[in-house]
Amino acid sequence: MATIKTENKEVNVNNGDSIIKACEELGVPFDCKVGACGVCKIDVVEGFDNFTPLTEEEKIMGMEGQGRLACQCKIKQGIVKIKFYLR
């Protein structure tokens, strides 16, 4: 079992699963859910290596540093702390 958390809330996720549902519960905004719009951009505060590598969609959208698209991430294991911004 893995965990996605923010400053004040956390949601458990099965190892290897997409984090979309967990991030929706945490309040991350979504639109297209296919990596084309960038609405679901998150910053990974802790546990960056617990995610699968950047997808081609994320590379096209210019994700760098600790930035990821929540719709594209799968969690391998462990705990990942994120920060997001309402746009």
Side-chain angles (χ1 to χ4, degrees), residues 41-60:
K41 182 186 182 293
I42 58 174
D43 290 328
V44 182
V45 178
E46 296 173 15
F48 190 84
D49 292 336
N50 291 334
F51 279 145
T52 53
L54 287 173
T55 64
E56 287 304 311
E57 291 80 4
E58 288 176 295
K59 291 174 185 175
I60 290 168

Side-chain angles (χ1 to χ4, degrees), residues 6-46:
T6 60
E7 282 294 319
N8 54 8
K9 191 173 179 184
E10 63 182 52
V11 178
N12 291 324
V13 180
N14 289 325
N15 291 345
D17 278 359
S18 167
I19 66 166
I20 291 175
K21 185 175 178 184
C23 285
E24 286 176 326
E25 289 181 40
L26 293 169
V28 174
F30 285 89
D31 193 18
C32 73
K33 295 186 183 173
V34 295
C37 70
V39 170
C40 65
K41 182 186 182 293
I42 58 174
D43 290 328
V44 182
V45 178
E46 296 173 15

Side-chain angles (χ1 to χ4, degrees), residues 3-5 14-16 23 27 38-40 42-43 46 49 51 61 63 66 71 74-77 80-83 86:
T3 303
I4 305 293
K5 67 181 191 174
N14 289 325
N15 291 345
C23 285
V39 170
C40 65
I42 58 174
D43 290 328
E46 296 173 15
D49 292 336
F51 279 145
M61 291 295 292
M63 294 296 106
Q66 299 302 102
C71 70
K74 290 185 179 179
I75 190 165
K76 296 185 285 187
Q77 62 184 6
V80 176
K81 184 176 181 182
I82 64 168
K83 182 189 281 188
L86 298 177

